[in-house]
Structure formats: C-alpha cells, structure tokens
Amino acid sequence: MTKMEPTKNNGNQERREGKRIKTPSITFFICLVISALVWVFLTFSRTYEVTMDYAITCSDLPEGKTSATCSDPSLALTFKTKGFYYIMPRFQEKNRTINLDIRKLTVHKGLGLNTYRFTKNELKDYIRDLDGLNEFFVDVESPYEITIYLEN
C-alpha cells in the first residue's frame, strides 16, 4: 500500500501542473474586469458640460437670393448631459453641423435685406427650437454675434 500513495500524489501533482489555469490568476482577471466595468459605468454616468464647435450651413434662402455667407464659419455650443449621451452619433465630429434656416431666422427682421445680424440670444432661441439638440443645449459660447450676407 505504500507504493500506491506516491502514485496518487503524482497524479494530483500532474493535474495541478497541467494546462489548467491556477485559481489566483482567474480571480485576479475577474476582479480586473469587474473594476474596469465599474470605472466605465461611473465615468459615463456622471453629468458633464462640454463645449463643441459646430459648422454653420445656411438653407431655405428667400426668393431672389442665390447664396448665403456667414461672418463666422462655426458656433461653439455648450451641452450638458450624462457621459453616455456624448458617445451618441449626434455629438460625433462628422455630425456637428447647424443648419440655419434663413427664412425662419429672418421672420422678425424684415424681408428684402442683404445683410442680417443675429445676437447670441437670437441664436440660442433658434437652437432651442431645433430637434435633436434642444434637450441637451445650454448656451452659445461664441461668437456673440453672427452676420449673414445674402447674394442675389
């Protein structure tokens, strides 16, 4: 019976030294994954206020006008929301454009002019009426004023 005992120990040693992963390695890896997931969740669940540049495009020109030029090519807009929303497509750089509807913007300014000046507050009101950005929008950081030049 004494000869069998070493054989049993050798069999157990072979199983432990085989291709099995040791328990401390698995535990460390699982803890690492869990901590990374908790970090990601906490980071993206916070509320952030971020300023992003949006390119300006003009559309819906009044009759007789062929093109519109803006005094500033972009607007710096501030948004406030949770981090998960900032990874949405609407905030990606390729989608950062603001389309200024000239007819809608100039309703209270009068018709037939070639130059329209809009203050920061007028732009803020216009952007708040836009779908998609209004729920996150906070403020227009710059410029304080924008001028649109219409050409015949």
PDB file of all heavy atoms in Angstrom, residues 73-106:
ATOM      1  N   PRO A  73     -17.559  80.843 -39.512  1.00  0.00           N
ATOM      2  CA  PRO A  73     -17.847  79.531 -40.085  1.00  0.00           C
ATOM      3  C   PRO A  73     -18.387  78.506 -39.084  1.00  0.00           C
ATOM      4  O   PRO A  73     -18.889  77.463 -39.476  1.00  0.00           O
ATOM      5  CB  PRO A  73     -16.491  79.068 -40.623  1.00  0.00           C
ATOM      6  CG  PRO A  73     -15.500  79.780 -39.770  1.00  0.00           C
ATOM      7  CD  PRO A  73     -16.136  81.090 -39.403  1.00  0.00           C
ATOM      8  N   SER A  74     -18.308  78.824 -37.772  1.00  0.00           N
ATOM      9  CA  SER A  74     -18.760  77.845 -36.785  1.00  0.00           C
ATOM     10  C   SER A  74     -19.297  78.521 -35.529  1.00  0.00           C
ATOM     11  O   SER A  74     -19.039  79.695 -35.280  1.00  0.00           O
ATOM     12  CB  SER A  74     -17.620  76.902 -36.403  1.00  0.00           C
ATOM     13  OG  SER A  74     -16.604  77.604 -35.731  1.00  0.00           O
ATOM     14  N   LEU A  75     -20.045  77.734 -34.768  1.00  0.00           N
ATOM     15  CA  LEU A  75     -20.569  78.162 -33.476  1.00  0.00           C
ATOM     16  C   LEU A  75     -20.019  77.243 -32.402  1.00  0.00           C
ATOM     17  O   LEU A  75     -19.955  76.023 -32.601  1.00  0.00           O
ATOM     18  CB  LEU A  75     -22.098  78.057 -33.434  1.00  0.00           C
ATOM     19  CG  LEU A  75     -22.923  78.990 -34.295  1.00  0.00           C
ATOM     20  CD1 LEU A  75     -24.386  78.580 -34.246  1.00  0.00           C
ATOM     21  CD2 LEU A  75     -22.779  80.408 -33.799  1.00  0.00           C
ATOM     22  N   ALA A  76     -19.626  77.791 -31.272  1.00  0.00           N
ATOM     23  CA  ALA A  76     -19.218  76.980 -30.130  1.00  0.00           C
ATOM     24  C   ALA A  76     -20.431  76.847 -29.218  1.00  0.00           C
ATOM     25  O   ALA A  76     -20.897  77.829 -28.639  1.00  0.00           O
ATOM     26  CB  ALA A  76     -18.058  77.633 -29.392  1.00  0.00           C
ATOM     27  N   LEU A  77     -20.966  75.630 -29.123  1.00  0.00           N
ATOM     28  CA  LEU A  77     -22.177  75.380 -28.349  1.00  0.00           C
ATOM     29  C   LEU A  77     -21.847  74.546 -27.117  1.00  0.00           C
ATOM     30  O   LEU A  77     -21.044  73.616 -27.182  1.00  0.00           O
ATOM     31  CB  LEU A  77     -23.202  74.631 -29.201  1.00  0.00           C
ATOM     32  CG  LEU A  77     -23.573  75.273 -30.535  1.00  0.00           C
ATOM     33  CD1 LEU A  77     -24.558  74.395 -31.282  1.00  0.00           C
ATOM     34  CD2 LEU A  77     -24.149  76.652 -30.307  1.00  0.00           C
ATOM     35  N   THR A  78     -22.501  74.862 -26.010  1.00  0.00           N
ATOM     36  CA  THR A  78     -22.299  74.131 -24.766  1.00  0.00           C
ATOM     37  C   THR A  78     -23.498  73.233 -24.513  1.00  0.00           C
ATOM     38  O   THR A  78     -24.652  73.673 -24.619  1.00  0.00           O
ATOM     39  CB  THR A  78     -22.119  75.095 -23.584  1.00  0.00           C
ATOM     40  OG1 THR A  78     -20.997  75.925 -23.850  1.00  0.00           O
ATOM     41  CG2 THR A  78     -21.871  74.346 -22.285  1.00  0.00           C
ATOM     42  N   PHE A  79     -23.202  71.976 -24.167  1.00  0.00           N
ATOM     43  CA  PHE A  79     -24.227  70.985 -23.874  1.00  0.00           C
ATOM     44  C   PHE A  79     -23.980  70.407 -22.489  1.00  0.00           C
ATOM     45  O   PHE A  79     -22.840  70.291 -22.052  1.00  0.00           O
ATOM     46  CB  PHE A  79     -24.187  69.842 -24.897  1.00  0.00           C
ATOM     47  CG  PHE A  79     -24.450  70.301 -26.289  1.00  0.00           C
ATOM     48  CD1 PHE A  79     -23.400  70.594 -27.134  1.00  0.00           C
ATOM     49  CD2 PHE A  79     -25.736  70.450 -26.756  1.00  0.00           C
ATOM     50  CE1 PHE A  79     -23.631  71.022 -28.426  1.00  0.00           C
ATOM     51  CE2 PHE A  79     -25.984  70.877 -28.042  1.00  0.00           C
ATOM     52  CZ  PHE A  79     -24.925  71.159 -28.877  1.00  0.00           C
ATOM     53  N   LYS A  80     -25.065  70.030 -21.833  1.00  0.00           N
ATOM     54  CA  LYS A  80     -24.953  69.419 -20.511  1.00  0.00           C
ATOM     55  C   LYS A  80     -25.792  68.148 -20.506  1.00  0.00           C
ATOM     56  O   LYS A  80     -27.011  68.202 -20.705  1.00  0.00           O
ATOM     57  CB  LYS A  80     -25.457  70.373 -19.433  1.00  0.00           C
ATOM     58  CG  LYS A  80     -25.287  69.847 -18.032  1.00  0.00           C
ATOM     59  CD  LYS A  80     -25.714  70.890 -17.017  1.00  0.00           C
ATOM     60  CE  LYS A  80     -25.424  70.417 -15.619  1.00  0.00           C
ATOM     61  NZ  LYS A  80     -25.777  71.448 -14.629  1.00  0.00           N
ATOM     62  N   THR A  81     -25.124  67.015 -20.275  1.00  0.00           N
ATOM     63  CA  THR A  81     -25.810  65.735 -20.221  1.00  0.00           C
ATOM     64  C   THR A  81     -24.894  64.679 -19.630  1.00  0.00           C
ATOM     65  O   THR A  81     -23.743  64.959 -19.324  1.00  0.00           O
ATOM     66  CB  THR A  81     -26.309  65.323 -21.616  1.00  0.00           C
ATOM     67  OG1 THR A  81     -27.149  64.188 -21.501  1.00  0.00           O
ATOM     68  CG2 THR A  81     -25.175  65.035 -22.554  1.00  0.00           C
ATOM     69  N   LYS A  82     -25.398  63.490 -19.515  1.00  0.00           N
ATOM     70  CA  LYS A  82     -24.603  62.385 -18.981  1.00  0.00           C
ATOM     71  C   LYS A  82     -23.624  61.891 -20.038  1.00  0.00           C
ATOM     72  O   LYS A  82     -23.847  62.031 -21.229  1.00  0.00           O
ATOM     73  CB  LYS A  82     -25.505  61.257 -18.528  1.00  0.00           C
ATOM     74  CG  LYS A  82     -26.393  61.668 -17.366  1.00  0.00           C
ATOM     75  CD  LYS A  82     -26.824  60.478 -16.577  1.00  0.00           C
ATOM     76  CE  LYS A  82     -27.692  60.880 -15.422  1.00  0.00           C
ATOM     77  NZ  LYS A  82     -26.984  61.325 -14.276  1.00  0.00           N
ATOM     78  N   GLY A  83     -22.532  61.298 -19.579  1.00  0.00           N
ATOM     79  CA  GLY A  83     -21.469  60.853 -20.470  1.00  0.00           C
ATOM     80  C   GLY A  83     -21.905  59.867 -21.527  1.00  0.00           C
ATOM     81  O   GLY A  83     -21.386  59.868 -22.638  1.00  0.00           O
ATOM     82  N   PHE A  84     -22.868  58.997 -21.224  1.00  0.00           N
ATOM     83  CA  PHE A  84     -23.321  58.016 -22.209  1.00  0.00           C
ATOM     84  C   PHE A  84     -23.889  58.691 -23.453  1.00  0.00           C
ATOM     85  O   PHE A  84     -23.758  58.190 -24.555  1.00  0.00           O
ATOM     86  CB  PHE A  84     -24.388  57.089 -21.611  1.00  0.00           C
ATOM     87  CG  PHE A  84     -23.827  56.040 -20.697  1.00  0.00           C
ATOM     88  CD1 PHE A  84     -24.064  56.082 -19.345  1.00  0.00           C
ATOM     89  CD2 PHE A  84     -23.046  55.010 -21.204  1.00  0.00           C
ATOM     90  CE1 PHE A  84     -23.546  55.117 -18.495  1.00  0.00           C
ATOM     91  CE2 PHE A  84     -22.526  54.043 -20.372  1.00  0.00           C
ATOM     92  CZ  PHE A  84     -22.776  54.092 -19.013  1.00  0.00           C
ATOM     93  N   TYR A  85     -24.509  59.865 -23.290  1.00  0.00           N
ATOM     94  CA  TYR A  85     -25.098  60.558 -24.438  1.00  0.00           C
ATOM     95  C   TYR A  85     -24.041  61.197 -25.336  1.00  0.00           C
ATOM     96  O   TYR A  85     -24.292  61.433 -26.507  1.00  0.00           O
ATOM     97  CB  TYR A  85     -26.101  61.614 -23.963  1.00  0.00           C
ATOM     98  CG  TYR A  85     -27.340  61.005 -23.375  1.00  0.00           C
ATOM     99  CD1 TYR A  85     -27.571  61.038 -22.016  1.00  0.00           C
ATOM    100  CD2 TYR A  85     -28.274  60.377 -24.185  1.00  0.00           C
ATOM    101  CE1 TYR A  85     -28.708  60.466 -21.463  1.00  0.00           C
ATOM    102  CE2 TYR A  85     -29.407  59.799 -23.661  1.00  0.00           C
ATOM    103  CZ  TYR A  85     -29.624  59.845 -22.298  1.00  0.00           C
ATOM    104  OH  TYR A  85     -30.741  59.280 -21.766  1.00  0.00           O
ATOM    105  N   TYR A  86     -22.869  61.515 -24.803  1.00  0.00           N
ATOM    106  CA  TYR A  86     -21.822  62.127 -25.619  1.00  0.00           C
ATOM    107  C   TYR A  86     -21.202  61.161 -26.618  1.00  0.00           C
ATOM    108  O   TYR A  86     -20.519  61.590 -27.538  1.00  0.00           O
ATOM    109  CB  TYR A  86     -20.728  62.750 -24.745  1.00  0.00           C
ATOM    110  CG  TYR A  86     -21.160  64.047 -24.130  1.00  0.00           C
ATOM    111  CD1 TYR A  86     -21.162  64.218 -22.766  1.00  0.00           C
ATOM    112  CD2 TYR A  86     -21.583  65.101 -24.926  1.00  0.00           C
ATOM    113  CE1 TYR A  86     -21.565  65.410 -22.197  1.00  0.00           C
ATOM    114  CE2 TYR A  86     -21.998  66.285 -24.375  1.00  0.00           C
ATOM    115  CZ  TYR A  86     -21.990  66.433 -23.011  1.00  0.00           C
ATOM    116  OH  TYR A  86     -22.401  67.612 -22.460  1.00  0.00           O
ATOM    117  N   ILE A  87     -21.422  59.872 -26.440  1.00  0.00           N
ATOM    118  CA  ILE A  87     -20.898  58.920 -27.420  1.00  0.00           C
ATOM    119  C   ILE A  87     -21.935  58.608 -28.494  1.00  0.00           C
ATOM    120  O   ILE A  87     -21.689  57.801 -29.372  1.00  0.00           O
ATOM    121  CB  ILE A  87     -20.393  57.622 -26.747  1.00  0.00           C
ATOM    122  CG1 ILE A  87     -21.491  56.928 -25.957  1.00  0.00           C
ATOM    123  CG2 ILE A  87     -19.190  57.907 -25.883  1.00  0.00           C
ATOM    124  CD1 ILE A  87     -21.081  55.598 -25.350  1.00  0.00           C
ATOM    125  N   MET A  88     -23.072  59.289 -28.444  1.00  0.00           N
ATOM    126  CA  MET A  88     -24.114  59.106 -29.448  1.00  0.00           C
ATOM    127  C   MET A  88     -23.675  59.762 -30.762  1.00  0.00           C
ATOM    128  O   MET A  88     -22.890  60.702 -30.759  1.00  0.00           O
ATOM    129  CB  MET A  88     -25.427  59.714 -28.964  1.00  0.00           C
ATOM    130  CG  MET A  88     -26.005  59.007 -27.754  1.00  0.00           C
ATOM    131  SD  MET A  88     -27.460  59.830 -27.124  1.00  0.00           S
ATOM    132  CE  MET A  88     -28.629  59.481 -28.413  1.00  0.00           C
ATOM    133  N   PRO A  89     -24.212  59.291 -31.886  1.00  0.00           N
ATOM    134  CA  PRO A  89     -23.810  59.835 -33.191  1.00  0.00           C
ATOM    135  C   PRO A  89     -24.031  61.338 -33.350  1.00  0.00           C
ATOM    136  O   PRO A  89     -23.267  61.991 -34.039  1.00  0.00           O
ATOM    137  CB  PRO A  89     -24.678  59.063 -34.184  1.00  0.00           C
ATOM    138  CG  PRO A  89     -25.041  57.813 -33.484  1.00  0.00           C
ATOM    139  CD  PRO A  89     -25.104  58.144 -32.021  1.00  0.00           C
ATOM    140  N   ARG A  90     -25.032  61.911 -32.720  1.00  0.00           N
ATOM    141  CA  ARG A  90     -25.303  63.338 -32.923  1.00  0.00           C
ATOM    142  C   ARG A  90     -24.184  64.238 -32.418  1.00  0.00           C
ATOM    143  O   ARG A  90     -24.076  65.375 -32.811  1.00  0.00           O
ATOM    144  CB  ARG A  90     -26.629  63.733 -32.301  1.00  0.00           C
ATOM    145  CG  ARG A  90     -26.581  63.814 -30.787  1.00  0.00           C
ATOM    146  CD  ARG A  90     -27.885  64.242 -30.226  1.00  0.00           C
ATOM    147  NE  ARG A  90     -28.658  63.035 -30.007  1.00  0.00           N
ATOM    148  CZ  ARG A  90     -29.879  63.003 -29.577  1.00  0.00           C
ATOM    149  NH1 ARG A  90     -30.505  64.101 -29.326  1.00  0.00           N
ATOM    150  NH2 ARG A  90     -30.513  61.879 -29.390  1.00  0.00           N
ATOM    151  N   PHE A  91     -23.341  63.734 -31.502  1.00  0.00           N
ATOM    152  CA  PHE A  91     -22.238  64.532 -30.977  1.00  0.00           C
ATOM    153  C   PHE A  91     -20.893  64.171 -31.612  1.00  0.00           C
ATOM    154  O   PHE A  91     -19.879  64.741 -31.246  1.00  0.00           O
ATOM    155  CB  PHE A  91     -22.146  64.378 -29.455  1.00  0.00           C
ATOM    156  CG  PHE A  91     -23.291  65.000 -28.731  1.00  0.00           C
ATOM    157  CD1 PHE A  91     -24.174  64.224 -28.007  1.00  0.00           C
ATOM    158  CD2 PHE A  91     -23.502  66.364 -28.780  1.00  0.00           C
ATOM    159  CE1 PHE A  91     -25.240  64.788 -27.329  1.00  0.00           C
ATOM    160  CE2 PHE A  91     -24.562  66.947 -28.111  1.00  0.00           C
ATOM    161  CZ  PHE A  91     -25.435  66.154 -27.395  1.00  0.00           C
ATOM    162  N   GLN A  92     -20.880  63.239 -32.551  1.00  0.00           N
ATOM    163  CA  GLN A  92     -19.631  62.897 -33.220  1.00  0.00           C
ATOM    164  C   GLN A  92     -19.229  64.033 -34.150  1.00  0.00           C
ATOM    165  O   GLN A  92     -20.069  64.751 -34.678  1.00  0.00           O
ATOM    166  CB  GLN A  92     -19.770  61.595 -33.995  1.00  0.00           C
ATOM    167  CG  GLN A  92     -19.905  60.396 -33.095  1.00  0.00           C
ATOM    168  CD  GLN A  92     -20.060  59.114 -33.890  1.00  0.00           C
ATOM    169  OE1 GLN A  92     -20.175  59.123 -35.098  1.00  0.00           O
ATOM    170  NE2 GLN A  92     -20.060  57.992 -33.185  1.00  0.00           N
ATOM    171  N   GLU A  93     -17.950  64.165 -34.359  1.00  0.00           N
ATOM    172  CA  GLU A  93     -17.420  65.303 -35.110  1.00  0.00           C
ATOM    173  C   GLU A  93     -17.997  65.416 -36.519  1.00  0.00           C
ATOM    174  O   GLU A  93     -18.279  66.512 -36.994  1.00  0.00           O
ATOM    175  CB  GLU A  93     -15.900  65.213 -35.177  1.00  0.00           C
ATOM    176  CG  GLU A  93     -15.273  66.489 -35.644  1.00  0.00           C
ATOM    177  CD  GLU A  93     -13.782  66.526 -35.407  1.00  0.00           C
ATOM    178  OE1 GLU A  93     -13.289  65.737 -34.587  1.00  0.00           O
ATOM    179  OE2 GLU A  93     -13.123  67.345 -36.053  1.00  0.00           O
ATOM    180  N   LYS A  94     -18.212  64.313 -37.191  1.00  0.00           N
ATOM    181  CA  LYS A  94     -18.721  64.368 -38.563  1.00  0.00           C
ATOM    182  C   LYS A  94     -20.176  64.847 -38.625  1.00  0.00           C
ATOM    183  O   LYS A  94     -20.633  65.294 -39.663  1.00  0.00           O
ATOM    184  CB  LYS A  94     -18.592  63.003 -39.240  1.00  0.00           C
ATOM    185  CG  LYS A  94     -19.442  61.925 -38.620  1.00  0.00           C
ATOM    186  CD  LYS A  94     -19.259  60.600 -39.313  1.00  0.00           C
ATOM    187  CE  LYS A  94     -20.109  59.540 -38.629  1.00  0.00           C
ATOM    188  NZ  LYS A  94     -19.974  58.260 -39.250  1.00  0.00           N
ATOM    189  N   ASN A  95     -20.906  64.785 -37.526  1.00  0.00           N
ATOM    190  CA  ASN A  95     -22.305  65.212 -37.492  1.00  0.00           C
ATOM    191  C   ASN A  95     -22.498  66.584 -36.849  1.00  0.00           C
ATOM    192  O   ASN A  95     -23.625  66.999 -36.623  1.00  0.00           O
ATOM    193  CB  ASN A  95     -23.148  64.188 -36.714  1.00  0.00           C
ATOM    194  CG  ASN A  95     -23.178  62.853 -37.406  1.00  0.00           C
ATOM    195  OD1 ASN A  95     -23.094  62.771 -38.622  1.00  0.00           O
ATOM    196  ND2 ASN A  95     -23.273  61.793 -36.634  1.00  0.00           N
ATOM    197  N   ARG A  96     -21.436  67.282 -36.566  1.00  0.00           N
ATOM    198  CA  ARG A  96     -21.543  68.576 -35.887  1.00  0.00           C
ATOM    199  C   ARG A  96     -21.726  69.717 -36.886  1.00  0.00           C
ATOM    200  O   ARG A  96     -20.800  70.453 -37.204  1.00  0.00           O
ATOM    201  CB  ARG A  96     -20.309  68.829 -35.032  1.00  0.00           C
ATOM    202  CG  ARG A  96     -20.269  67.964 -33.812  1.00  0.00           C
ATOM    203  CD  ARG A  96     -19.199  68.434 -32.878  1.00  0.00           C
ATOM    204  NE  ARG A  96     -18.631  67.279 -32.205  1.00  0.00           N
ATOM    205  CZ  ARG A  96     -17.440  67.247 -31.679  1.00  0.00           C
ATOM    206  NH1 ARG A  96     -16.649  68.287 -31.744  1.00  0.00           N
ATOM    207  NH2 ARG A  96     -17.002  66.170 -31.084  1.00  0.00           N
ATOM    208  N   THR A  97     -22.939  69.845 -37.380  1.00  0.00           N
ATOM    209  CA  THR A  97     -23.297  70.977 -38.242  1.00  0.00           C
ATOM    210  C   THR A  97     -24.635  71.542 -37.773  1.00  0.00           C
ATOM    211  O   THR A  97     -25.519  70.803 -37.340  1.00  0.00           O
ATOM    212  CB  THR A  97     -23.425  70.569 -39.722  1.00  0.00           C
ATOM    213  OG1 THR A  97     -24.401  69.540 -39.839  1.00  0.00           O
ATOM    214  CG2 THR A  97     -22.104  70.092 -40.282  1.00  0.00           C
ATOM    215  N   ILE A  98     -24.754  72.838 -37.857  1.00  0.00           N
ATOM    216  CA  ILE A  98     -26.010  73.525 -37.542  1.00  0.00           C
ATOM    217  C   ILE A  98     -26.520  74.127 -38.842  1.00  0.00           C
ATOM    218  O   ILE A  98     -25.803  74.877 -39.507  1.00  0.00           O
ATOM    219  CB  ILE A  98     -25.790  74.653 -36.507  1.00  0.00           C
ATOM    220  CG1 ILE A  98     -25.433  74.084 -35.160  1.00  0.00           C
ATOM    221  CG2 ILE A  98     -27.012  75.538 -36.396  1.00  0.00           C
ATOM    222  CD1 ILE A  98     -26.577  73.461 -34.419  1.00  0.00           C
ATOM    223  N   ASN A  99     -27.735  73.760 -39.209  1.00  0.00           N
ATOM    224  CA  ASN A  99     -28.339  74.292 -40.413  1.00  0.00           C
ATOM    225  C   ASN A  99     -29.208  75.484 -40.032  1.00  0.00           C
ATOM    226  O   ASN A  99     -30.191  75.336 -39.309  1.00  0.00           O
ATOM    227  CB  ASN A  99     -29.173  73.207 -41.100  1.00  0.00           C
ATOM    228  CG  ASN A  99     -29.699  73.677 -42.426  1.00  0.00           C
ATOM    229  OD1 ASN A  99     -29.150  74.581 -43.032  1.00  0.00           O
ATOM    230  ND2 ASN A  99     -30.775  73.068 -42.867  1.00  0.00           N
ATOM    231  N   LEU A 100     -28.827  76.658 -40.487  1.00  0.00           N
ATOM    232  CA  LEU A 100     -29.594  77.868 -40.209  1.00  0.00           C
ATOM    233  C   LEU A 100     -30.613  78.079 -41.321  1.00  0.00           C
ATOM    234  O   LEU A 100     -30.248  78.304 -42.475  1.00  0.00           O
ATOM    235  CB  LEU A 100     -28.666  79.082 -40.104  1.00  0.00           C
ATOM    236  CG  LEU A 100     -27.610  79.046 -39.005  1.00  0.00           C
ATOM    237  CD1 LEU A 100     -26.754  80.301 -39.054  1.00  0.00           C
ATOM    238  CD2 LEU A 100     -28.247  78.881 -37.645  1.00  0.00           C
ATOM    239  N   ASP A 101     -31.866  77.981 -40.988  1.00  0.00           N
ATOM    240  CA  ASP A 101     -32.967  78.213 -41.918  1.00  0.00           C
ATOM    241  C   ASP A 101     -33.160  79.725 -42.013  1.00  0.00           C
ATOM    242  O   ASP A 101     -33.686  80.356 -41.093  1.00  0.00           O
ATOM    243  CB  ASP A 101     -34.225  77.523 -41.395  1.00  0.00           C
ATOM    244  CG  ASP A 101     -35.396  77.641 -42.335  1.00  0.00           C
ATOM    245  OD1 ASP A 101     -35.397  78.529 -43.205  1.00  0.00           O
ATOM    246  OD2 ASP A 101     -36.332  76.835 -42.189  1.00  0.00           O
ATOM    247  N   ILE A 102     -32.715  80.312 -43.111  1.00  0.00           N
ATOM    248  CA  ILE A 102     -32.694  81.770 -43.249  1.00  0.00           C
ATOM    249  C   ILE A 102     -34.099  82.368 -43.164  1.00  0.00           C
ATOM    250  O   ILE A 102     -34.304  83.378 -42.490  1.00  0.00           O
ATOM    251  CB  ILE A 102     -32.005  82.193 -44.570  1.00  0.00           C
ATOM    252  CG1 ILE A 102     -30.581  81.644 -44.631  1.00  0.00           C
ATOM    253  CG2 ILE A 102     -32.009  83.704 -44.733  1.00  0.00           C
ATOM    254  CD1 ILE A 102     -29.683  82.112 -43.514  1.00  0.00           C
ATOM    255  N   ARG A 103     -35.075  81.744 -43.785  1.00  0.00           N
ATOM    256  CA  ARG A 103     -36.443  82.280 -43.719  1.00  0.00           C
ATOM    257  C   ARG A 103     -36.972  82.282 -42.292  1.00  0.00           C
ATOM    258  O   ARG A 103     -37.619  83.230 -41.869  1.00  0.00           O
ATOM    259  CB  ARG A 103     -37.373  81.479 -44.616  1.00  0.00           C
ATOM    260  CG  ARG A 103     -37.139  81.743 -46.070  1.00  0.00           C
ATOM    261  CD  ARG A 103     -38.142  81.012 -46.890  1.00  0.00           C
ATOM    262  NE  ARG A 103     -37.719  81.027 -48.273  1.00  0.00           N
ATOM    263  CZ  ARG A 103     -38.550  81.093 -49.287  1.00  0.00           C
ATOM    264  NH1 ARG A 103     -39.833  81.106 -49.087  1.00  0.00           N
ATOM    265  NH2 ARG A 103     -38.102  81.109 -50.511  1.00  0.00           N
ATOM    266  N   LYS A 104     -36.704  81.228 -41.576  1.00  0.00           N
ATOM    267  CA  LYS A 104     -37.179  81.141 -40.187  1.00  0.00           C
ATOM    268  C   LYS A 104     -36.460  82.155 -39.292  1.00  0.00           C
ATOM    269  O   LYS A 104     -37.068  82.772 -38.427  1.00  0.00           O
ATOM    270  CB  LYS A 104     -36.959  79.722 -39.673  1.00  0.00           C
ATOM    271  CG  LYS A 104     -37.582  79.454 -38.341  1.00  0.00           C
ATOM    272  CD  LYS A 104     -37.426  77.987 -37.971  1.00  0.00           C
ATOM    273  CE  LYS A 104     -38.050  77.700 -36.627  1.00  0.00           C
ATOM    274  NZ  LYS A 104     -37.908  76.300 -36.239  1.00  0.00           N
ATOM    275  N   LEU A 105     -35.168  82.314 -39.510  1.00  0.00           N
ATOM    276  CA  LEU A 105     -34.393  83.266 -38.706  1.00  0.00           C
ATOM    277  C   LEU A 105     -34.766  84.722 -38.982  1.00  0.00           C
ATOM    278  O   LEU A 105     -34.724  85.558 -38.088  1.00  0.00           O
ATOM    279  CB  LEU A 105     -32.899  83.087 -38.985  1.00  0.00           C
ATOM    280  CG  LEU A 105     -32.144  82.105 -38.115  1.00  0.00           C
ATOM    281  CD1 LEU A 105     -30.741  81.889 -38.661  1.00  0.00           C
ATOM    282  CD2 LEU A 105     -32.077  82.573 -36.684  1.00  0.00           C
ATOM    283  N   THR A 106     -35.119  85.022 -40.222  1.00  0.00           N
ATOM    284  CA  THR A 106     -35.350  86.422 -40.610  1.00  0.00           C
ATOM    285  C   THR A 106     -36.814  86.844 -40.544  1.00  0.00           C
ATOM    286  O   THR A 106     -37.146  87.935 -40.994  1.00  0.00           O
ATOM    287  CB  THR A 106     -34.817  86.667 -42.037  1.00  0.00           C
ATOM    288  OG1 THR A 106     -35.490  85.787 -42.940  1.00  0.00           O
ATOM    289  CG2 THR A 106     -33.324  86.460 -42.104  1.00  0.00           C
TER     290      THR A 106
END
